[in-house]
Amino acid sequence: MSGSTYATLAGTRRPGPPTASGRSEYPLALVAGVFALAQLVLVRPGLGLGWDETVYVSQISAHAPAAFFSAPRARGISLLVAPVTSWSSSTTLLRVYLAALSGLALFLALRTWRTLFPVRVLALAGTLFASLWVTLFYGPQAMPNYWVAVGALAAAGCFLRARADRDAGTDHSGRAALWGLAASASLMAWMRPTDAVWATVPLLALCLRARHWRLLTVLLAGLASGAVEWVVEAYVSYGGLTQRLHDASAIEGGLGWHLAVTDQLRSLGGRALCRPCTGAMPNPAVDVWWLVLPVLAVAGLVVAVRARRTEPTLVPFACAATAAFPYLFMIGYAAPRFLLPAYALVAIPVADALIQLVTRPTGAWRRVAVALLAVGLAGHLAIQLAVLEHTVSRTNAQHRDWSRTAAELHRLGVRTPCLLTGQDAIPVAFYTGCASAATEGHNANTNRTVIDRTARRMPVADITPAGSRPPAYAHDWPVHHYGTLDLRVAPTAERDGGA
């Protein structure tokens, strides 16, 4: 494939206009639409809310009081889902809303790259990213990681377009790219401020190196606008920004040198959170794509260098590396969703390398290359769907357990307004419609005196594993054995009609 096929930022040419007007965007719209539909078919709208989701959703919810909001969290995702959660408790409606919104966001993020790479590269990149089980699983969830991913992808594309338009003196399209850069950076920081900084380190460094002060100002303004609420909240509720960062580090297990690469490999079998990350590795077939990914990304960079279009490939590659770095080398546990921004960014050089591999050969060799790629992608998709089905099934079972526990607590007289403590108190409280509290641990937000006082005016219950010692404030509460749990309900609820 000739280098003239592509626009270049490193040479004397600027990115060319999109091919054939809006029709060139149809493949991107198709990829995004299939992605949104696949979430509804494969993950299914009836999937209950997970632990972290209940925290985010409860902040602006018509169903339950706000759960404790720990230092690392940001309120972007709570505000994103507020148009639904502020008036409806329907999980199905929330899933449909997020699936549609995530599909639209993927289309817009890919669209920012349309003058930098051919549409077939972008369509394949979108397909590779959207077909990962972790992308499909978290797209319709009230979690911030997917939104950081599409924000990072859009930010890198807008950055490159703004640089090229600045060099070419194209003012109108340059302004559009600057607005896109600011909005993308703001979205990332709105969702997870620290992730936004890591994902934009190469962009910031490039601005400083090339003395692009306008680009630097826009990028910093976007990051600041998204992070301002988090910073203000740090001083209002966490004792200052330094203290919030310190508390966030403590909750993450103490940020520092931790080799979490093998932890990430263990989590690829469908573990939403691998903490502590022990146990056997998943089937090697599950991990092979993850090991091949950086090799293909480097191959894409080599292709770009040979075609003299290094920068449009190097920028997303570098942003992917910095976005992944803290989750591979600075925390002592893993979750597959942490690397979603890296997957979105690296998908473009990977897609470019794959298309080069099947278009560069001629004759029979091209047919062989196409057949091998088709078989490889089909096998990859089959593995991703198998892991997704396993993950959805296990997650559904856990959420049903929480729902059944909530129903049993209702039967025992624990009804709104009420308070839950103990094991899984945060998600079970949301399902029950109660507030949650803890006297110790990362979610500690109360003490025994407050719980004793609360138990005199509303139903309070504690959840512990069957046969384990209850906390001191609940040791004399009546105990009800329910499966693998002991439910201790304060006498107030007993008198108010509990069984």
Side-chain angles (χ1 to χ4, degrees), residues 1-24:
M1 185 181 296
S2 170
S4 62
T5 305
Y6 298 92
T8 176
L9 296 180
T12 59
R13 292 170 294 166
R14 63 176 293 272
T19 60
S21 69
R23 286 180 296 176
S24 65

Side-chain angles (χ1 to χ4, degrees), residues 113 183 211 281 339 358 394:
W113 291 82
R211 298 183 180 180
M281 290 282 189
L339 296 182
V358 298
R394 188 179 65 247

Side-chain angles (χ1 to χ4, degrees), residues 119-181:
V119 70
R120 61 181 177 178
V121 172
L122 301 180
L124 179 57
T127 301
L128 292 173
F129 175 62
S131 63
L132 294 176
W133 76 261
V134 64
T135 310
L136 285 164
F137 186 67
Y138 285 104
Q141 293 202 32
M143 296 288 285
N145 311 87
Y146 173 82
W147 300 97
V148 175
V150 291
L153 182 62
C158 288
F159 177 88
L160 289 167
R161 290 178 61 182
R163 268 175 60 89
D165 290 330
R166 171 188 176 276
D167 294 340
T170 308
D171 189 53
H172 175 71
S173 56
R175 284 200 302 270
L178 288 173
W179 279 108
L181 175 61

Side-chain angles (χ1 to χ4, degrees), residues 63-275:
H63 178 68
F68 177 74
F69 207 75
S70 60
R73 302 187 188 276
R75 297 187 182 272
I77 193 66
S78 300
L79 296 172
L80 185 72
V81 300
V84 173
T85 61
S86 60
W87 61 273
S88 174
S89 60
S90 171
T91 302
T92 298
L93 180 60
L94 179 62
R95 298 289 186 220
V96 173
Y97 165 75
L98 285 172
L101 205 59
S102 63
L104 176 61
L106 179 61
F107 169 72
L108 294 176
L110 291 171
R111 189 174 179 271
T112 63
W113 291 82
R114 70 191 187 281
T115 60
L116 302 171
F117 286 90
V119 70
R120 61 181 177 178
V121 172
L122 301 180
L124 179 57
T127 301
L128 292 173
F129 175 62
S131 63
L132 294 176
W133 76 261
V134 64
T135 310
L136 285 164
F137 186 67
Y138 285 104
Q141 293 202 32
M143 296 288 285
N145 311 87
Y146 173 82
W147 300 97
V148 175
V150 291
L153 182 62
C158 288
F159 177 88
L160 289 167
R161 290 178 61 182
R163 268 175 60 89
D165 290 330
R166 171 188 176 276
D167 294 340
T170 308
D171 189 53
H172 175 71
S173 56
R175 284 200 302 270
L178 288 173
W179 279 108
L181 175 61
S184 303
S186 183
L187 174 65
M188 286 190 287
W190 196 38
M191 294 294 167
R192 287 186 71 89
T194 52
D195 283 10
V197 172
W198 281 104
T200 55
V201 163
L203 307 184
L204 295 167
L206 197 54
C207 285
L208 292 171
R209 181 177 180 275
R211 298 183 180 180
H212 289 332
W213 306 124
R214 187 183 185 190
L215 267 177
L216 179 63
T217 301
V218 169
L219 180 54
L220 289 175
L223 292 172
S225 67
V228 63
E229 187 279 330
W230 197 83
V231 174
V232 170
E233 187 180 41
Y235 288 97
V236 172
S237 304
Y238 296 91
L241 181 58
T242 302
Q243 186 61 46
R244 185 170 196 176
L245 291 170
H246 178 270
D247 292 346
S249 175
I251 290 173
E252 300 291 351
L255 297 180
W257 180 254
H258 298 284
L259 187 61
V261 175
T262 54
D263 293 343
Q264 285 291 344
L265 283 169
R266 286 190 176 91
S267 73
L268 292 178
R271 299 174 66 175
L273 183 63
C274 196
R275 185 179 190 180

